[in-house]
PDB file of all heavy atoms in Angstrom:
ATOM      1  N   GLY A   8      -3.004  30.216 -32.990  1.00 96.00           N
ATOM      2  CA  GLY A   8      -3.183  31.654 -33.080  1.00 96.00           C
ATOM      3  C   GLY A   8      -4.516  32.145 -32.579  1.00 96.00           C
ATOM      4  O   GLY A   8      -4.696  33.355 -32.377  1.00 96.00           O
ATOM      5  N   GLY A   9      -5.445  31.253 -32.385  1.00 96.00           N
ATOM      6  CA  GLY A   9      -6.741  31.610 -31.855  1.00 96.00           C
ATOM      7  C   GLY A   9      -6.708  31.738 -30.345  1.00 96.00           C
ATOM      8  O   GLY A   9      -5.666  31.597 -29.711  1.00 96.00           O
ATOM      9  N   SER A  10      -7.859  32.006 -29.768  1.00 96.00           N
ATOM     10  CA  SER A  10      -7.981  32.115 -28.327  1.00 96.00           C
ATOM     11  C   SER A  10      -8.920  31.040 -27.802  1.00 96.00           C
ATOM     12  O   SER A  10      -9.752  30.508 -28.541  1.00 96.00           O
ATOM     13  CB  SER A  10      -8.486  33.503 -27.914  1.00 96.00           C
ATOM     14  OG  SER A  10      -9.779  33.748 -28.445  1.00 96.00           O
ATOM     15  N   LEU A  11      -8.767  30.743 -26.532  1.00 96.00           N
ATOM     16  CA  LEU A  11      -9.540  29.672 -25.918  1.00 96.00           C
ATOM     17  C   LEU A  11      -9.847  30.035 -24.477  1.00 96.00           C
ATOM     18  O   LEU A  11      -8.979  30.550 -23.767  1.00 96.00           O
ATOM     19  CB  LEU A  11      -8.749  28.361 -25.967  1.00 96.00           C
ATOM     20  CG  LEU A  11      -9.379  27.132 -25.307  1.00 96.00           C
ATOM     21  CD1 LEU A  11     -10.575  26.667 -26.118  1.00 96.00           C
ATOM     22  CD2 LEU A  11      -8.358  26.028 -25.170  1.00 96.00           C
ATOM     23  N   SER A  12     -11.066  29.772 -24.054  1.00 97.00           N
ATOM     24  CA  SER A  12     -11.467  30.010 -22.676  1.00 97.00           C
ATOM     25  C   SER A  12     -12.052  28.743 -22.076  1.00 97.00           C
ATOM     26  O   SER A  12     -12.925  28.112 -22.669  1.00 97.00           O
ATOM     27  CB  SER A  12     -12.503  31.137 -22.603  1.00 97.00           C
ATOM     28  OG  SER A  12     -11.948  32.375 -22.996  1.00 97.00           O
ATOM     29  N   LEU A  13     -11.562  28.386 -20.911  1.00 98.00           N
ATOM     30  CA  LEU A  13     -12.062  27.249 -20.162  1.00 98.00           C
ATOM     31  C   LEU A  13     -12.680  27.741 -18.862  1.00 98.00           C
ATOM     32  O   LEU A  13     -12.312  28.796 -18.345  1.00 98.00           O
ATOM     33  CB  LEU A  13     -10.941  26.260 -19.844  1.00 98.00           C
ATOM     34  CG  LEU A  13     -10.116  25.728 -21.011  1.00 98.00           C
ATOM     35  CD1 LEU A  13      -9.020  24.811 -20.490  1.00 98.00           C
ATOM     36  CD2 LEU A  13     -10.998  25.006 -22.014  1.00 98.00           C
ATOM     37  N   ALA A  14     -13.600  26.974 -18.322  1.00 98.00           N
ATOM     38  CA  ALA A  14     -14.220  27.304 -17.051  1.00 98.00           C
ATOM     39  C   ALA A  14     -14.291  26.069 -16.175  1.00 98.00           C
ATOM     40  O   ALA A  14     -14.370  24.937 -16.671  1.00 98.00           O
ATOM     41  CB  ALA A  14     -15.620  27.876 -17.257  1.00 98.00           C
ATOM     42  N   CYS A  15     -14.250  26.279 -14.888  1.00 98.00           N
ATOM     43  CA  CYS A  15     -14.403  25.209 -13.910  1.00 98.00           C
ATOM     44  C   CYS A  15     -15.348  25.697 -12.825  1.00 98.00           C
ATOM     45  O   CYS A  15     -15.074  26.707 -12.167  1.00 98.00           O
ATOM     46  CB  CYS A  15     -13.053  24.832 -13.313  1.00 98.00           C
ATOM     47  SG  CYS A  15     -13.162  23.708 -11.898  1.00 98.00           S
ATOM     48  N   THR A  16     -16.424  24.977 -12.635  1.00 96.00           N
ATOM     49  CA  THR A  16     -17.404  25.316 -11.618  1.00 96.00           C
ATOM     50  C   THR A  16     -17.323  24.311 -10.477  1.00 96.00           C
ATOM     51  O   THR A  16     -17.405  23.103 -10.702  1.00 96.00           O
ATOM     52  CB  THR A  16     -18.818  25.337 -12.196  1.00 96.00           C
ATOM     53  OG1 THR A  16     -18.895  26.336 -13.215  1.00 96.00           O
ATOM     54  CG2 THR A  16     -19.835  25.661 -11.114  1.00 96.00           C
ATOM     55  N   ALA A  17     -17.164  24.820  -9.278  1.00 94.00           N
ATOM     56  CA  ALA A  17     -17.067  23.993  -8.088  1.00 94.00           C
ATOM     57  C   ALA A  17     -18.380  24.026  -7.323  1.00 94.00           C
ATOM     58  O   ALA A  17     -19.037  25.064  -7.219  1.00 94.00           O
ATOM     59  CB  ALA A  17     -15.935  24.473  -7.194  1.00 94.00           C
ATOM     60  N   SER A  18     -18.747  22.895  -6.770  1.00 94.00           N
ATOM     61  CA  SER A  18     -19.956  22.809  -5.965  1.00 94.00           C
ATOM     62  C   SER A  18     -19.765  21.786  -4.859  1.00 94.00           C
ATOM     63  O   SER A  18     -18.878  20.936  -4.926  1.00 94.00           O
ATOM     64  CB  SER A  18     -21.167  22.437  -6.824  1.00 94.00           C
ATOM     65  OG  SER A  18     -20.994  21.157  -7.410  1.00 94.00           O
ATOM     66  N   GLY A  19     -20.607  21.872  -3.843  1.00 95.00           N
ATOM     67  CA  GLY A  19     -20.591  20.900  -2.766  1.00 95.00           C
ATOM     68  C   GLY A  19     -19.585  21.163  -1.664  1.00 95.00           C
ATOM     69  O   GLY A  19     -19.464  20.346  -0.749  1.00 95.00           O
ATOM     70  N   PHE A  20     -18.876  22.269  -1.722  1.00 91.00           N
ATOM     71  CA  PHE A  20     -17.904  22.575  -0.681  1.00 91.00           C
ATOM     72  C   PHE A  20     -18.600  23.038   0.594  1.00 91.00           C
ATOM     73  O   PHE A  20     -19.578  23.779   0.551  1.00 91.00           O
ATOM     74  CB  PHE A  20     -16.933  23.660  -1.131  1.00 91.00           C
ATOM     75  CG  PHE A  20     -15.874  23.176  -2.073  1.00 91.00           C
ATOM     76  CD1 PHE A  20     -15.925  23.479  -3.424  1.00 91.00           C
ATOM     77  CD2 PHE A  20     -14.806  22.428  -1.602  1.00 91.00           C
ATOM     78  CE1 PHE A  20     -14.953  23.043  -4.290  1.00 91.00           C
ATOM     79  CE2 PHE A  20     -13.821  21.982  -2.456  1.00 91.00           C
ATOM     80  CZ  PHE A  20     -13.896  22.290  -3.807  1.00 91.00           C
ATOM     81  N   THR A  21     -18.059  22.588   1.710  1.00 91.00           N
ATOM     82  CA  THR A  21     -18.410  23.148   2.999  1.00 91.00           C
ATOM     83  C   THR A  21     -17.288  24.086   3.400  1.00 91.00           C
ATOM     84  O   THR A  21     -16.185  23.659   3.712  1.00 91.00           O
ATOM     85  CB  THR A  21     -18.597  22.059   4.059  1.00 91.00           C
ATOM     86  OG1 THR A  21     -19.642  21.174   3.654  1.00 91.00           O
ATOM     87  CG2 THR A  21     -18.956  22.686   5.399  1.00 91.00           C
ATOM     88  N   GLY A  22     -17.561  25.360   3.360  1.00 89.00           N
ATOM     89  CA  GLY A  22     -16.519  26.337   3.564  1.00 89.00           C
ATOM     90  C   GLY A  22     -15.862  26.706   2.241  1.00 89.00           C
ATOM     91  O   GLY A  22     -16.196  26.170   1.180  1.00 89.00           O
ATOM     92  N   SER A  23     -14.922  27.613   2.303  1.00 90.00           N
ATOM     93  CA  SER A  23     -14.288  28.132   1.108  1.00 90.00           C
ATOM     94  C   SER A  23     -13.035  27.352   0.743  1.00 90.00           C
ATOM     95  O   SER A  23     -12.432  26.671   1.570  1.00 90.00           O
ATOM     96  CB  SER A  23     -13.941  29.610   1.309  1.00 90.00           C
ATOM     97  OG  SER A  23     -13.029  29.771   2.380  1.00 90.00           O
ATOM     98  N   THR A  24     -12.649  27.476  -0.519  1.00 93.00           N
ATOM     99  CA  THR A  24     -11.387  26.918  -0.955  1.00 93.00           C
ATOM    100  C   THR A  24     -10.252  27.864  -0.579  1.00 93.00           C
ATOM    101  O   THR A  24     -10.461  29.056  -0.327  1.00 93.00           O
ATOM    102  CB  THR A  24     -11.377  26.680  -2.465  1.00 93.00           C
ATOM    103  OG1 THR A  24     -11.585  27.929  -3.145  1.00 93.00           O
ATOM    104  CG2 THR A  24     -12.495  25.716  -2.865  1.00 93.00           C
ATOM    105  N   LYS A  25      -9.038  27.332  -0.562  1.00 95.00           N
ATOM    106  CA  LYS A  25      -7.855  28.151  -0.321  1.00 95.00           C
ATOM    107  C   LYS A  25      -7.195  28.551  -1.635  1.00 95.00           C
ATOM    108  O   LYS A  25      -6.847  29.711  -1.827  1.00 95.00           O
ATOM    109  CB  LYS A  25      -6.863  27.398   0.561  1.00 95.00           C
ATOM    110  CG  LYS A  25      -7.376  27.084   1.958  1.00 95.00           C
ATOM    111  CD  LYS A  25      -7.572  28.338   2.780  1.00 95.00           C
ATOM    112  CE  LYS A  25      -7.956  27.988   4.210  1.00 95.00           C
ATOM    113  NZ  LYS A  25      -8.141  29.198   5.041  1.00 95.00           N
ATOM    114  N   SER A  26      -6.989  27.579  -2.499  1.00 96.00           N
ATOM    115  CA  SER A  26      -6.436  27.818  -3.819  1.00 96.00           C
ATOM    116  C   SER A  26      -7.120  26.919  -4.831  1.00 96.00           C
ATOM    117  O   SER A  26      -7.557  25.815  -4.490  1.00 96.00           O
ATOM    118  CB  SER A  26      -4.926  27.551  -3.860  1.00 96.00           C
ATOM    119  OG  SER A  26      -4.204  28.480  -3.084  1.00 96.00           O
ATOM    120  N   MET A  27      -7.203  27.393  -6.046  1.00 97.00           N
ATOM    121  CA  MET A  27      -7.678  26.588  -7.158  1.00 97.00           C
ATOM    122  C   MET A  27      -6.683  26.716  -8.297  1.00 97.00           C
ATOM    123  O   MET A  27      -5.952  27.709  -8.387  1.00 97.00           O
ATOM    124  CB  MET A  27      -9.077  27.009  -7.605  1.00 97.00           C
ATOM    125  CG  MET A  27     -10.140  26.787  -6.537  1.00 97.00           C
ATOM    126  SD  MET A  27     -11.827  27.144  -7.103  1.00 97.00           S
ATOM    127  CE  MET A  27     -12.077  25.805  -8.279  1.00 97.00           C
ATOM    128  N   ALA A  28      -6.665  25.715  -9.171  1.00 97.00           N
ATOM    129  CA  ALA A  28      -5.625  25.676 -10.184  1.00 97.00           C
ATOM    130  C   ALA A  28      -6.084  24.949 -11.436  1.00 97.00           C
ATOM    131  O   ALA A  28      -7.058  24.192 -11.427  1.00 97.00           O
ATOM    132  CB  ALA A  28      -4.366  24.987  -9.636  1.00 97.00           C
ATOM    133  N   TRP A  29      -5.358  25.208 -12.501  1.00 98.00           N
ATOM    134  CA  TRP A  29      -5.469  24.454 -13.742  1.00 98.00           C
ATOM    135  C   TRP A  29      -4.183  23.672 -13.970  1.00 98.00           C
ATOM    136  O   TRP A  29      -3.085  24.226 -13.882  1.00 98.00           O
ATOM    137  CB  TRP A  29      -5.693  25.382 -14.940  1.00 98.00           C
ATOM    138  CG  TRP A  29      -7.051  26.003 -14.999  1.00 98.00           C
ATOM    139  CD1 TRP A  29      -7.412  27.244 -14.581  1.00 98.00           C
ATOM    140  CD2 TRP A  29      -8.237  25.395 -15.524  1.00 98.00           C
ATOM    141  NE1 TRP A  29      -8.747  27.462 -14.807  1.00 98.00           N
ATOM    142  CE2 TRP A  29      -9.277  26.345 -15.388  1.00 98.00           C
ATOM    143  CE3 TRP A  29      -8.520  24.154 -16.101  1.00 98.00           C
ATOM    144  CZ2 TRP A  29     -10.582  26.076 -15.806  1.00 98.00           C
ATOM    145  CZ3 TRP A  29      -9.816  23.887 -16.507  1.00 98.00           C
ATOM    146  CH2 TRP A  29     -10.819  24.847 -16.358  1.00 98.00           C
ATOM    147  N   PHE A  30      -4.329  22.399 -14.233  1.00 98.00           N
ATOM    148  CA  PHE A  30      -3.241  21.549 -14.682  1.00 98.00           C
ATOM    149  C   PHE A  30      -3.560  21.051 -16.084  1.00 98.00           C
ATOM    150  O   PHE A  30      -4.717  21.043 -16.508  1.00 98.00           O
ATOM    151  CB  PHE A  30      -3.046  20.356 -13.743  1.00 98.00           C
ATOM    152  CG  PHE A  30      -2.361  20.688 -12.445  1.00 98.00           C
ATOM    153  CD1 PHE A  30      -3.007  21.411 -11.464  1.00 98.00           C
ATOM    154  CD2 PHE A  30      -1.060  20.264 -12.209  1.00 98.00           C
ATOM    155  CE1 PHE A  30      -2.377  21.716 -10.264  1.00 98.00           C
ATOM    156  CE2 PHE A  30      -0.418  20.554 -11.017  1.00 98.00           C
ATOM    157  CZ  PHE A  30      -1.079  21.282 -10.050  1.00 98.00           C
ATOM    158  N   ARG A  31      -2.541  20.624 -16.791  1.00 97.00           N
ATOM    159  CA  ARG A  31      -2.773  20.016 -18.091  1.00 97.00           C
ATOM    160  C   ARG A  31      -1.803  18.858 -18.301  1.00 97.00           C
ATOM    161  O   ARG A  31      -0.723  18.813 -17.710  1.00 97.00           O
ATOM    162  CB  ARG A  31      -2.640  21.021 -19.234  1.00 97.00           C
ATOM    163  CG  ARG A  31      -1.215  21.489 -19.514  1.00 97.00           C
ATOM    164  CD  ARG A  31      -1.223  22.532 -20.626  1.00 97.00           C
ATOM    165  NE  ARG A  31       0.115  22.996 -20.954  1.00 97.00           N
ATOM    166  CZ  ARG A  31       0.384  23.989 -21.792  1.00 97.00           C
ATOM    167  NH1 ARG A  31      -0.631  24.633 -22.397  1.00 97.00           N
ATOM    168  NH2 ARG A  31       1.636  24.344 -22.034  1.00 97.00           N
ATOM    169  N   GLN A  32      -2.217  17.932 -19.125  1.00 97.00           N
ATOM    170  CA  GLN A  32      -1.385  16.787 -19.452  1.00 97.00           C
ATOM    171  C   GLN A  32      -1.374  16.610 -20.963  1.00 97.00           C
ATOM    172  O   GLN A  32      -2.398  16.304 -21.573  1.00 97.00           O
ATOM    173  CB  GLN A  32      -1.896  15.519 -18.766  1.00 97.00           C
ATOM    174  CG  GLN A  32      -0.958  14.338 -18.900  1.00 97.00           C
ATOM    175  CD  GLN A  32      -1.289  13.240 -17.917  1.00 97.00           C
ATOM    176  OE1 GLN A  32      -2.375  13.200 -17.346  1.00 97.00           O
ATOM    177  NE2 GLN A  32      -0.342  12.340 -17.705  1.00 97.00           N
ATOM    178  N   ARG A  33      -0.218  16.824 -21.562  1.00 94.00           N
ATOM    179  CA  ARG A  33      -0.035  16.640 -22.988  1.00 94.00           C
ATOM    180  C   ARG A  33       0.258  15.171 -23.268  1.00 94.00           C
ATOM    181  O   ARG A  33       0.749  14.456 -22.387  1.00 94.00           O
ATOM    182  CB  ARG A  33       1.103  17.525 -23.487  1.00 94.00           C
ATOM    183  CG  ARG A  33       0.834  19.017 -23.303  1.00 94.00           C
ATOM    184  CD  ARG A  33       2.106  19.831 -23.332  1.00 94.00           C
ATOM    185  NE  ARG A  33       2.820  19.685 -24.594  1.00 94.00           N
ATOM    186  CZ  ARG A  33       4.020  20.203 -24.830  1.00 94.00           C
ATOM    187  NH1 ARG A  33       4.641  20.898 -23.889  1.00 94.00           N
ATOM    188  NH2 ARG A  33       4.593  20.017 -26.013  1.00 94.00           N
ATOM    189  N   PRO A  34      -0.040  14.710 -24.470  1.00 90.00           N
ATOM    190  CA  PRO A  34       0.199  13.301 -24.789  1.00 90.00           C
ATOM    191  C   PRO A  34       1.643  12.894 -24.526  1.00 90.00           C
ATOM    192  O   PRO A  34       2.579  13.543 -24.998  1.00 90.00           O
ATOM    193  CB  PRO A  34      -0.135  13.221 -26.280  1.00 90.00           C
ATOM    194  CG  PRO A  34      -1.115  14.326 -26.501  1.00 90.00           C
ATOM    195  CD  PRO A  34      -0.663  15.435 -25.589  1.00 90.00           C
ATOM    196  N   GLY A  35       1.814  11.838 -23.760  1.00 94.00           N
ATOM    197  CA  GLY A  35       3.135  11.325 -23.459  1.00 94.00           C
ATOM    198  C   GLY A  35       3.913  12.116 -22.430  1.00 94.00           C
ATOM    199  O   GLY A  35       5.082  11.811 -22.185  1.00 94.00           O
TER     200      GLY A  35
END
């Protein structure tokens, strides 16, 4: 019932990204 915020910081790229995404893996 609570809220959660995640962040992802990218570095070291030469040029821009096209797409970025979040994936998750639940146990099993």
